[in-house]
Amino acid sequence: MPRLAATSVVLLPPLLLLLLSSAAASTAAAPLPPGAGGGFGFEATLRHVDAGAGYTKAQLLARAVARSRARASTLQSLATLAPGDAITAARILVRASDGEYLMDMGIGTPPRYYSAILDTGSDLIWTQCAPCLLCVDQPTPYFDPSQSATYRSLGCSSPSCNALYYPFCFQNVCVYQYFYGDSASTAGVLANETFTFGTNATRVAVPSVSFGCGNLNAGSLANGSGMVGFGRGSLSLVSQLGSPRFSYCLTSFLSPVPSRLYFGAYATLNSTNASAAAGPVQSTPFVVNPALPTMYFLNMTGISVGGYRLPIDPAVFAINDADGTGGTIIDSGTTITYIAEPAYAAVRAAFASQIRLPLLNATEASVLDTCFKWPPPPRQSLTLPEVVFHFDGADMELPLQNYMLVEPVSGGLCLAMATSSDGTIIGNFQHQNFHVLYDLENSLLSFVPAPCNLI
Protein backbone atom coordinates (compact mmCIF):
# COMPACT_ATOMS: atom_id res chain seq x y z
CA MET A 1 0.00 0.00 0.00
CA PRO A 2 1.53 3.40 -0.97
CA ARG A 3 2.83 5.61 1.81
CA LEU A 4 3.54 9.31 2.06
CA ALA A 5 7.29 9.87 2.04
CA ALA A 6 8.76 11.02 5.32
CA THR A 7 10.13 14.11 3.56
CA SER A 8 6.78 15.14 2.08
CA VAL A 9 5.52 18.66 2.70
CA VAL A 10 1.77 19.01 3.16
CA LEU A 11 0.29 22.28 1.92
CA LEU A 12 -3.31 23.34 2.10
CA PRO A 13 -4.74 24.20 -1.33
CA PRO A 14 -5.26 27.94 -1.85
CA LEU A 15 -8.98 27.42 -2.42
CA LEU A 16 -9.32 25.84 1.01
CA LEU A 17 -7.47 28.75 2.61
CA LEU A 18 -9.89 31.15 0.95
CA LEU A 19 -12.78 29.09 2.21
CA LEU A 20 -11.41 29.28 5.74
CA SER A 21 -11.42 33.07 5.61
CA SER A 22 -15.21 33.05 5.93
CA ALA A 23 -15.00 30.71 8.90
CA ALA A 24 -12.67 32.93 10.92
CA ALA A 25 -15.45 35.23 12.02
CA SER A 26 -17.29 32.41 13.79
CA THR A 27 -14.28 31.10 15.73
CA ALA A 28 -15.05 30.05 19.29
CA ALA A 29 -12.58 28.22 21.51
CA ALA A 30 -15.24 26.24 23.34
CA PRO A 31 -13.91 23.58 25.75
CA LEU A 32 -14.58 19.89 25.41
CA PRO A 33 -18.00 19.10 26.90
CA PRO A 34 -17.96 17.77 30.47
CA GLY A 35 -19.14 14.30 31.32
CA ALA A 36 -22.90 14.04 31.51
CA GLY A 37 -22.95 11.87 34.62
CA GLY A 38 -23.53 8.21 35.40
CA GLY A 39 -27.04 8.17 33.94
CA PHE A 40 -26.09 9.46 30.52
CA GLY A 41 -26.38 7.12 27.56
CA PHE A 42 -28.28 6.05 24.47
CA GLU A 43 -29.01 3.13 22.18
CA ALA A 44 -28.36 3.23 18.46
CA THR A 45 -28.89 1.04 15.42
CA LEU A 46 -25.93 -0.17 13.38
CA ARG A 47 -26.34 -1.05 9.72
CA HIS A 48 -23.85 -3.00 7.70
CA VAL A 49 -22.38 -0.86 4.91
CA ASP A 50 -23.76 -3.22 2.23
CA ALA A 51 -27.22 -3.67 3.79
CA GLY A 52 -30.11 -3.13 1.39
CA ALA A 53 -27.85 -2.82 -1.66
CA GLY A 54 -29.21 -5.94 -3.35
CA TYR A 55 -26.06 -8.04 -3.11
CA THR A 56 -26.28 -11.82 -2.94
CA LYS A 57 -24.84 -13.58 0.11
CA ALA A 58 -21.85 -14.60 -1.98
CA GLN A 59 -21.28 -10.99 -3.05
CA LEU A 60 -21.68 -9.70 0.53
CA LEU A 61 -19.06 -12.14 1.71
CA ALA A 62 -16.65 -11.38 -1.13
CA ARG A 63 -16.93 -7.63 -0.57
CA ALA A 64 -16.43 -7.92 3.19
CA VAL A 65 -13.36 -10.13 2.80
CA ALA A 66 -11.84 -7.72 0.27
CA ARG A 67 -12.35 -4.73 2.59
CA SER A 68 -10.95 -6.76 5.44
CA ARG A 69 -7.76 -7.48 3.55
CA ALA A 70 -7.17 -3.80 2.77
CA ARG A 71 -7.89 -2.65 6.33
CA ALA A 72 -5.66 -5.29 7.89
CA SER A 73 -2.82 -4.22 5.62
CA THR A 74 -3.20 -0.64 6.85
CA LEU A 75 -3.45 -1.56 10.53
CA GLN A 76 -0.38 -3.75 10.34
CA SER A 77 1.73 -0.94 8.86
CA LEU A 78 0.88 1.69 11.48
CA ALA A 79 3.50 0.91 14.09
CA THR A 80 6.28 1.03 11.48
CA LEU A 81 5.72 4.73 10.72
CA ALA A 82 8.76 6.86 11.38
CA PRO A 83 8.69 7.92 15.06
CA GLY A 84 8.38 11.66 15.55
CA ASP A 85 7.51 12.33 11.90
CA ALA A 86 4.52 14.68 12.09
CA ILE A 87 3.36 14.05 8.53
CA THR A 88 3.25 10.27 8.70
CA ALA A 89 1.83 10.45 12.22
CA ALA A 90 -1.02 12.58 10.87
CA ARG A 91 -2.46 9.68 8.94
CA ILE A 92 -5.72 8.38 10.19
CA LEU A 93 -5.50 4.81 11.43
CA VAL A 94 -7.70 3.24 8.79
CA ARG A 95 -9.07 4.05 5.36
CA ALA A 96 -12.60 5.43 5.34
CA SER A 97 -13.65 2.84 2.79
CA ASP A 98 -12.77 -0.03 5.10
CA GLY A 99 -15.39 0.37 7.83
CA GLU A 100 -18.15 -2.19 8.17
CA TYR A 101 -20.99 -0.63 10.22
CA LEU A 102 -22.86 2.66 9.92
CA MET A 103 -24.30 4.65 12.82
CA ASP A 104 -26.98 7.33 12.43
CA MET A 105 -26.48 10.68 14.12
CA GLY A 106 -27.81 14.22 13.87
CA ILE A 107 -25.54 17.23 13.40
CA GLY A 108 -26.46 20.84 14.12
CA THR A 109 -29.51 22.83 15.22
CA PRO A 110 -31.93 21.89 13.85
CA PRO A 111 -30.32 18.45 13.43
CA ARG A 112 -29.58 17.05 9.98
CA TYR A 113 -29.24 13.29 10.07
CA TYR A 114 -26.31 11.39 8.60
CA SER A 115 -24.88 7.88 8.70
CA ALA A 116 -21.22 7.65 9.67
CA ILE A 117 -18.84 4.70 9.68
CA LEU A 118 -18.35 3.52 13.27
CA ASP A 119 -14.66 2.86 13.84
CA THR A 120 -13.04 1.53 16.99
CA GLY A 121 -9.66 2.03 15.30
CA SER A 122 -9.64 5.85 15.07
CA ASP A 123 -10.70 8.97 16.94
CA LEU A 124 -11.80 11.85 14.75
CA ILE A 125 -15.50 12.49 14.09
CA TRP A 126 -15.98 14.11 10.69
CA THR A 127 -18.42 14.64 7.85
CA GLN A 128 -18.32 16.37 4.47
CA CYS A 129 -19.37 20.00 4.58
CA ALA A 130 -20.69 22.63 2.20
CA PRO A 131 -19.33 24.55 0.43
CA CYS A 132 -17.37 21.56 -0.77
CA LEU A 133 -14.28 22.09 -2.92
CA LEU A 134 -13.77 18.37 -3.43
CA CYS A 135 -16.13 15.77 -2.02
CA VAL A 136 -16.92 12.12 -2.63
CA ASP A 137 -20.30 10.54 -3.18
CA GLN A 138 -22.54 10.18 -0.16
CA PRO A 139 -26.25 9.34 0.24
CA THR A 140 -27.22 12.60 1.99
CA PRO A 141 -26.64 16.31 1.28
CA TYR A 142 -23.40 17.79 2.61
CA PHE A 143 -23.70 19.38 6.06
CA ASP A 144 -24.08 23.15 5.70
CA PRO A 145 -22.71 24.98 8.78
CA SER A 146 -24.49 28.20 7.78
CA GLN A 147 -27.85 26.47 8.37
CA SER A 148 -27.04 25.53 11.99
CA ALA A 149 -27.50 27.87 14.96
CA THR A 150 -24.91 26.03 17.06
CA TYR A 151 -21.93 25.65 14.71
CA ARG A 152 -18.70 27.25 15.99
CA SER A 153 -15.29 26.84 14.37
CA LEU A 154 -12.48 26.28 16.87
CA GLY A 155 -9.48 28.47 17.56
CA CYS A 156 -5.90 27.30 17.26
CA SER A 157 -5.35 27.31 21.02
CA SER A 158 -8.36 25.11 21.78
CA PRO A 159 -7.74 21.73 23.49
CA SER A 160 -9.32 19.92 20.55
CA CYS A 161 -7.00 21.60 18.07
CA ASN A 162 -4.00 20.70 20.20
CA ALA A 163 -5.19 17.07 20.22
CA LEU A 164 -4.77 16.77 16.44
CA TYR A 165 -1.74 14.93 15.12
CA TYR A 166 -0.77 17.83 12.86
CA PRO A 167 -2.97 20.94 13.17
CA PHE A 168 -2.80 23.96 10.90
CA CYS A 169 -3.76 27.48 11.89
CA PHE A 170 -5.31 30.02 9.54
CA GLN A 171 -6.54 33.37 10.90
CA ASN A 172 -6.93 31.69 14.29
CA VAL A 173 -9.11 28.93 12.80
CA CYS A 174 -8.02 25.39 13.52
CA VAL A 175 -7.61 23.35 10.34
CA TYR A 176 -7.29 19.57 10.34
CA GLN A 177 -5.87 17.19 7.77
CA TYR A 178 -6.07 13.42 7.96
CA PHE A 179 -4.37 11.11 5.48
CA TYR A 180 -5.13 7.49 4.73
CA GLY A 181 -3.13 4.43 3.78
CA ASP A 182 -3.73 5.12 0.09
CA SER A 183 -4.55 8.42 -1.65
CA ALA A 184 -7.66 9.08 0.44
CA SER A 185 -7.77 12.13 2.71
CA THR A 186 -9.99 14.67 4.44
CA ALA A 187 -9.24 18.30 5.32
CA GLY A 188 -11.30 21.17 6.64
CA VAL A 189 -12.25 23.16 9.72
CA LEU A 190 -12.24 21.72 13.23
CA ALA A 191 -15.44 22.91 14.89
CA ASN A 192 -17.83 22.40 17.78
CA GLU A 193 -21.43 21.46 17.12
CA THR A 194 -24.47 19.92 18.78
CA PHE A 195 -24.80 16.23 17.96
CA THR A 196 -27.93 14.13 18.40
CA PHE A 197 -27.59 10.41 19.09
CA GLY A 198 -29.82 7.42 19.74
CA THR A 199 -33.16 5.98 18.78
CA ASN A 200 -36.45 7.73 19.58
CA ALA A 201 -36.71 6.26 23.08
CA THR A 202 -33.15 7.20 24.08
CA ARG A 203 -32.44 10.25 21.91
CA VAL A 204 -30.03 12.78 23.42
CA ALA A 205 -28.59 16.07 22.12
CA VAL A 206 -25.03 16.82 23.21
CA PRO A 207 -23.59 20.34 22.74
CA SER A 208 -20.01 21.28 21.90
CA VAL A 209 -18.83 18.04 20.30
CA SER A 210 -15.61 18.65 18.35
CA PHE A 211 -15.63 17.33 14.80
CA GLY A 212 -14.03 17.81 11.41
CA CYS A 213 -16.08 19.74 8.86
CA GLY A 214 -14.46 18.44 5.68
CA ASN A 215 -14.31 20.69 2.60
CA LEU A 216 -11.64 18.74 0.73
CA ASN A 217 -12.05 14.97 0.71
CA ALA A 218 -10.97 12.00 -1.37
CA GLY A 219 -11.64 8.28 -1.21
CA SER A 220 -14.86 6.40 -0.50
CA LEU A 221 -17.33 6.49 2.38
CA ALA A 222 -18.95 3.09 1.83
CA ASN A 223 -22.56 4.38 1.75
CA GLY A 224 -21.91 6.70 4.70
CA SER A 225 -21.40 10.45 5.04
CA GLY A 226 -18.40 10.54 7.37
CA MET A 227 -16.76 8.72 10.25
CA VAL A 228 -17.26 8.55 14.00
CA GLY A 229 -14.21 7.43 15.94
CA PHE A 230 -14.66 5.21 19.00
CA GLY A 231 -10.95 4.90 19.79
CA ARG A 232 -9.16 5.78 23.01
CA GLY A 233 -7.88 9.24 22.00
CA SER A 234 -9.24 12.55 23.30
CA LEU A 235 -11.11 13.44 20.07
CA SER A 236 -13.11 10.20 19.96
CA LEU A 237 -16.82 10.17 20.73
CA VAL A 238 -16.21 7.99 23.79
CA SER A 239 -13.73 10.45 25.27
CA GLN A 240 -15.68 13.59 24.41
CA LEU A 241 -19.00 12.45 25.87
CA GLY A 242 -17.33 11.64 29.18
CA SER A 243 -19.12 8.32 29.67
CA PRO A 244 -16.33 5.85 28.95
CA ARG A 245 -18.19 2.67 28.10
CA PHE A 246 -19.96 1.34 25.04
CA SER A 247 -21.02 -2.04 23.75
CA TYR A 248 -22.31 -3.60 20.56
CA CYS A 249 -24.13 -6.76 19.60
CA LEU A 250 -23.49 -7.63 15.95
CA THR A 251 -25.88 -9.75 13.95
CA SER A 252 -24.54 -11.67 10.97
CA PHE A 253 -23.83 -9.28 8.09
CA LEU A 254 -25.63 -11.82 5.90
CA SER A 255 -28.79 -11.17 7.95
CA PRO A 256 -31.23 -8.30 7.22
CA VAL A 257 -31.61 -7.68 10.98
CA PRO A 258 -29.57 -4.61 12.04
CA SER A 259 -27.09 -4.64 14.91
CA ARG A 260 -27.23 -2.58 18.09
CA LEU A 261 -24.91 -0.13 19.83
CA TYR A 262 -25.23 0.83 23.50
CA PHE A 263 -23.49 3.85 25.00
CA GLY A 264 -22.89 4.98 28.58
CA ALA A 265 -25.48 3.83 31.07
CA TYR A 266 -27.10 1.57 28.46
CA ALA A 267 -23.86 -0.37 27.91
CA THR A 268 -24.30 -3.32 30.24
CA LEU A 269 -24.19 -7.08 29.80
CA ASN A 270 -26.47 -7.85 32.76
CA SER A 271 -29.57 -8.76 30.73
CA THR A 272 -28.12 -10.07 27.47
CA ASN A 273 -27.23 -13.60 28.48
CA ALA A 274 -30.47 -15.26 27.40
CA SER A 275 -29.38 -18.80 28.15
CA ALA A 276 -27.51 -20.39 31.04
CA ALA A 277 -25.81 -22.60 28.46
CA ALA A 278 -24.17 -19.51 27.00
CA GLY A 279 -21.89 -19.30 30.02
CA PRO A 280 -20.84 -16.39 32.26
CA VAL A 281 -19.62 -12.97 31.21
CA GLN A 282 -15.88 -13.07 30.52
CA SER A 283 -13.50 -10.13 30.91
CA THR A 284 -9.93 -9.41 29.87
CA PRO A 285 -7.88 -6.24 30.40
CA PHE A 286 -6.91 -3.87 27.63
CA VAL A 287 -3.20 -3.46 26.95
CA VAL A 288 -1.74 -0.06 26.06
CA ASN A 289 0.61 0.05 23.08
CA PRO A 290 2.58 3.32 23.37
CA ALA A 291 3.12 3.32 19.60
CA LEU A 292 -0.65 3.09 18.93
CA PRO A 293 -2.37 4.31 22.12
CA THR A 294 -5.79 4.81 20.50
CA MET A 295 -6.17 1.14 19.49
CA TYR A 296 -7.78 -1.59 21.62
CA PHE A 297 -5.03 -4.13 22.27
CA LEU A 298 -5.58 -7.33 24.25
CA ASN A 299 -3.27 -9.87 25.86
CA MET A 300 -3.96 -12.99 23.79
CA THR A 301 -2.31 -16.07 25.29
CA GLY A 302 -3.21 -18.93 22.95
CA ILE A 303 -5.65 -20.78 20.68
CA SER A 304 -7.31 -24.17 21.08
CA VAL A 305 -8.63 -26.25 18.17
CA GLY A 306 -10.74 -29.37 18.81
CA GLY A 307 -10.13 -29.21 22.56
CA TYR A 308 -6.35 -29.17 22.10
CA ARG A 309 -4.35 -26.10 23.06
CA LEU A 310 -1.91 -25.48 20.25
CA PRO A 311 1.82 -25.26 21.05
CA ILE A 312 2.12 -21.53 20.34
CA ASP A 313 4.55 -19.30 22.21
CA PRO A 314 2.42 -16.47 23.75
CA ALA A 315 5.14 -14.05 22.59
CA VAL A 316 3.73 -14.48 19.06
CA PHE A 317 0.68 -12.45 20.18
CA ALA A 318 2.59 -9.84 22.22
CA ILE A 319 3.53 -6.24 21.40
CA ASN A 320 7.15 -5.72 20.48
CA ASP A 321 8.46 -3.38 23.18
CA ALA A 322 11.19 -2.05 20.91
CA ASP A 323 9.00 -0.62 18.13
CA GLY A 324 5.32 -1.24 18.98
CA THR A 325 4.76 -3.77 16.18
CA GLY A 326 2.82 -6.99 16.72
CA GLY A 327 0.28 -7.39 19.47
CA THR A 328 -3.40 -8.34 19.30
CA ILE A 329 -6.12 -5.82 18.36
CA ILE A 330 -9.89 -6.25 18.59
CA ASP A 331 -11.37 -4.27 15.71
CA SER A 332 -14.97 -3.71 14.64
CA GLY A 333 -13.97 -2.64 11.13
CA THR A 334 -12.05 -5.76 10.05
CA THR A 335 -14.25 -8.66 8.99
CA ILE A 336 -12.19 -11.82 9.37
CA THR A 337 -9.51 -12.52 11.95
CA TYR A 338 -5.84 -12.22 10.98
CA ILE A 339 -3.47 -14.38 13.04
CA ALA A 340 0.26 -13.74 13.29
CA GLU A 341 2.66 -16.34 12.02
CA PRO A 342 3.63 -18.89 13.20
CA ALA A 343 0.36 -19.15 15.16
CA TYR A 344 -1.71 -19.22 11.97
CA ALA A 345 0.38 -22.11 10.62
CA ALA A 346 -0.41 -24.08 13.78
CA VAL A 347 -4.15 -23.36 13.43
CA ARG A 348 -4.14 -24.37 9.77
CA ALA A 349 -2.28 -27.59 10.52
CA ALA A 350 -4.73 -28.45 13.30
CA PHE A 351 -7.73 -27.99 10.98
CA ALA A 352 -6.07 -29.99 8.21
CA SER A 353 -5.48 -32.90 10.59
CA GLN A 354 -8.94 -32.84 12.20
CA ILE A 355 -11.26 -32.26 9.22
CA ARG A 356 -11.65 -35.32 7.02
CA LEU A 357 -11.97 -33.47 3.73
CA PRO A 358 -9.42 -32.67 1.01
CA LEU A 359 -7.68 -29.28 1.30
CA LEU A 360 -8.18 -26.97 -1.67
CA ASN A 361 -5.17 -25.32 -3.26
CA ALA A 362 -4.94 -21.61 -2.47
CA THR A 363 -4.29 -19.11 -5.24
CA GLU A 364 -2.23 -15.94 -4.97
CA ALA A 365 -5.42 -13.91 -4.81
CA SER A 366 -6.88 -16.01 -2.00
CA VAL A 367 -7.38 -14.32 1.35
CA LEU A 368 -8.78 -17.50 2.87
CA ASP A 369 -6.36 -20.36 2.35
CA THR A 370 -7.58 -22.98 4.84
CA CYS A 371 -10.39 -24.32 2.65
CA PHE A 372 -11.80 -27.80 2.19
CA LYS A 373 -13.71 -29.43 -0.62
CA TRP A 374 -17.43 -28.92 -0.01
CA PRO A 375 -19.96 -30.48 -0.02
CA PRO A 376 -18.52 -33.74 1.32
CA PRO A 377 -19.15 -37.04 -0.46
CA PRO A 378 -22.64 -38.61 0.08
CA ARG A 379 -23.32 -40.26 3.43
CA GLN A 380 -20.12 -38.91 4.98
CA SER A 381 -20.56 -37.41 8.42
CA LEU A 382 -18.45 -34.36 9.18
CA THR A 383 -17.28 -33.17 12.56
CA LEU A 384 -15.77 -29.70 12.76
CA PRO A 385 -13.36 -28.88 15.58
CA GLU A 386 -14.25 -26.28 18.17
CA VAL A 387 -12.16 -23.09 18.35
CA VAL A 388 -11.32 -21.12 21.49
CA PHE A 389 -9.36 -17.86 21.67
CA HIS A 390 -7.55 -17.58 25.00
CA PHE A 391 -6.96 -14.16 26.57
CA ASP A 392 -5.66 -13.01 29.91
CA GLY A 393 -8.49 -14.12 32.23
CA ALA A 394 -11.01 -14.99 29.49
CA ASP A 395 -11.78 -17.64 26.88
CA MET A 396 -13.82 -16.82 23.78
CA GLU A 397 -15.47 -20.04 22.61
CA LEU A 398 -16.50 -19.42 19.01
CA PRO A 399 -19.72 -20.92 17.64
CA LEU A 400 -19.33 -22.71 14.32
CA GLN A 401 -20.86 -19.86 12.28
CA ASN A 402 -18.20 -17.49 13.67
CA TYR A 403 -15.23 -19.28 12.17
CA MET A 404 -16.39 -21.38 9.18
CA LEU A 405 -17.97 -20.15 5.95
CA VAL A 406 -18.55 -21.25 2.37
CA GLU A 407 -16.21 -19.20 0.16
CA PRO A 408 -18.16 -17.79 -2.83
CA VAL A 409 -15.53 -18.30 -5.55
CA SER A 410 -14.25 -21.80 -4.84
CA GLY A 411 -17.34 -23.08 -3.05
CA GLY A 412 -15.02 -24.50 -0.41
CA LEU A 413 -15.65 -24.74 3.31
CA CYS A 414 -13.17 -22.20 4.67
CA LEU A 415 -11.78 -21.05 7.97
CA ALA A 416 -12.72 -17.36 8.35
CA MET A 417 -9.18 -16.45 9.33
CA ALA A 418 -6.02 -15.55 7.46
CA THR A 419 -2.32 -15.19 8.01
CA SER A 420 -0.69 -11.96 9.14
CA SER A 421 2.92 -10.89 8.85
CA ASP A 422 2.63 -8.42 11.72
CA GLY A 423 0.28 -8.80 14.65
CA THR A 424 -3.15 -10.36 15.21
CA ILE A 425 -6.51 -8.68 14.53
CA ILE A 426 -9.71 -10.15 15.99
CA GLY A 427 -12.30 -9.23 13.36
CA ASN A 428 -16.05 -8.68 13.59
CA PHE A 429 -16.92 -12.02 11.97
CA GLN A 430 -15.76 -13.53 15.26
CA HIS A 431 -17.77 -10.96 17.29
CA GLN A 432 -21.12 -11.94 15.70
CA ASN A 433 -23.76 -12.86 18.28
CA PHE A 434 -21.54 -11.81 21.15
CA HIS A 435 -22.45 -8.78 23.23
CA VAL A 436 -19.09 -7.01 23.55
CA LEU A 437 -18.51 -4.30 26.16
CA TYR A 438 -15.64 -1.79 26.05
CA ASP A 439 -15.19 -0.45 29.59
CA LEU A 440 -12.51 2.25 29.38
CA GLU A 441 -12.91 3.35 33.00
CA ASN A 442 -11.83 -0.08 34.24
CA SER A 443 -9.75 -0.86 31.11
CA LEU A 444 -11.63 -4.09 30.46
CA LEU A 445 -13.16 -5.82 27.45
CA SER A 446 -16.08 -8.06 28.43
CA PHE A 447 -18.19 -10.36 26.28
CA VAL A 448 -20.94 -12.94 26.45
CA PRO A 449 -22.79 -14.95 23.78
CA ALA A 450 -26.13 -13.31 22.99
CA PRO A 451 -28.97 -13.52 20.44
CA CYS A 452 -28.15 -10.18 18.82
CA ASN A 453 -31.19 -10.32 16.53
CA LEU A 454 -33.46 -10.27 19.59
CA ILE A 455 -31.95 -7.72 21.99
Side-chain angles (χ1 to χ4, degrees):
M1 183 173 295
R3 293 186 178 183
L4 291 175
T7 56
S8 297
V9 177
V10 181
L11 297 175
L12 288 176
L15 284 176
L16 182 55
L17 293 177
L18 290 174
L19 181 67
L20 296 178
S21 300
S22 62
S26 60
T27 298
L32 290 172
F40 173 80
F42 59 84
E43 298 180 10
T45 299
L46 300 180
R47 293 180 291 107
H48 192 265
V49 294
D50 286 334
Y55 295 113
T56 66
K57 288 187 176 182
Q59 290 171 328
L60 288 171
L61 180 59
R63 288 171 58 84
V65 170
R67 285 191 300 267
S68 182
R69 184 178 195 175
R71 182 178 173 97
S73 177
T74 303
L75 290 177
Q76 290 159 1
S77 69
L78 291 175
T80 62
L81 298 178
D85 177 3
I87 293 175
T88 52
R91 290 188 201 175
I92 201 167
L93 296 180
V94 294
R95 295 190 302 134
S97 58
D98 290 334
E100 290 293 303
Y101 291 91
L102 297 170
M103 169 185 167
D104 291 335
M105 58 187 185
I107 307 177
T109 305
R112 272 77 173 180
Y113 285 89
Y114 299 85
S115 292
I117 298 171
L118 181 147
D119 183 26
T120 56
S122 65
D123 293 332
L124 187 68
I125 306 163
W126 66 272
T127 190
Q128 299 189 108
C129 287
C132 204
L133 299 177
L134 177 65
C135 281
V136 300
D137 290 339
Q138 67 176 46
T140 54
Y142 305 132
F143 176 68
D144 187 348
S146 68
Q147 300 301 308
S148 172
T150 47
Y151 176 88
R152 298 291 184 273
S153 60
L154 287 174
C156 303
S157 61
S158 67
S160 295
C161 190
N162 291 328
L164 291 170
Y165 285 117
Y166 194 53
F168 283 90
C169 190
F170 180 75
Q171 296 185 0
N172 201 35
V173 174
C174 183
V175 180
Y176 78 94
Q177 288 194 103
Y178 266 55
F179 297 90
Y180 297 84
D182 55 7
S183 59
S185 63
T186 177
V189 176
L190 194 69
N192 272 3
E193 183 57 283
T194 295
F195 276 65
T196 303
F197 304 102
T199 56
N200 289 334
T202 66
R203 187 157 292 165
V204 293
V206 183
S208 299
V209 174
S210 297
F211 80 112
C213 199
N215 307 107
L216 190 66
N217 312 286
S220 169
L221 286 171
N223 298 322
S225 302
M227 294 189 73
V228 52
F230 271 69
R232 304 178 76 174
S234 60
L235 287 176
S236 78
L237 185 66
V238 185
S239 298
Q240 290 199 58
L241 297 195
S243 190
R245 55 189 295 129
F246 67 93
S247 66
Y248 53 69
C249 203
L250 303 180
T251 60
S252 169
F253 65 85
L254 301 177
S255 165
V257 179
S259 301
R260 303 290 290 179
L261 171 78
Y262 304 89
F263 197 94
Y266 288 87
T268 174
L269 305 185
N270 293 340
S271 61
T272 58
N273 192 3
S275 161
V281 172
Q282 307 236 16
S283 299
T284 185
F286 289 120
V287 177
V288 176
N289 182 349
L292 295 170
T294 192
M295 305 290 292
Y296 293 103
F297 281 84
L298 304 173
N299 181 15
M300 192 171 189
T301 58
I303 301 174
S304 292
V305 176
Y308 173 63
R309 184 148 180 163
L310 303 180
I312 302 170
D313 185 345
V316 172
F317 303 113
I319 299 167
N320 186 327
D321 292 334
D323 59 11
T325 57
T328 301
I329 301 168
I330 182 167
D331 179 45
S332 66
T334 304
T335 303
I336 63 174
T337 285
Y338 286 78
I339 302 176
E341 288 289 2
Y344 179 76
V347 172
R348 190 175 193 275
F351 269 82
S353 66
Q354 295 183 41
I355 294 181
R356 292 159 49 187
L357 290 175
L359 268 171
L360 297 177
N361 293 327
T363 66
E364 288 188 8
S366 299
V367 176
L368 307 177
D369 65 356
T370 303
C371 296
F372 302 86
K373 185 178 180 180
W374 183 260
R379 293 184 294 278
Q380 177 182 340
S381 62
L382 181 64
T383 300
L384 297 174
E386 297 178 347
V387 175
V388 181
F389 289 160
H390 301 289
F391 301 96
D392 180 10
D395 295 324
M396 178 177 279
E397 299 180 13
L398 300 179
L400 179 62
Q401 63 271 23
N402 283 33
Y403 64 91
M404 297 300 292
L405 53 83
V406 177
E407 203 274 330
V409 177
S410 67
L413 181 65
C414 296
L415 177 68
M417 302 176 195
T419 185
S420 164
S421 60
D422 178 23
T424 295
I425 304 171
I426 309 299
N428 64 58
F429 196 86
Q430 280 64 46
H431 312 176
Q432 292 175 131
N433 288 310
F434 278 91
H435 195 171
V436 183
L437 171 66
Y438 293 67
D439 182 350
L440 277 66
E441 185 175 19
N442 296 301
S443 195
L444 285 174
L445 179 87
S446 300
F447 54 86
V448 65
C452 294
N453 61 323
L454 299 178
I455 67 172

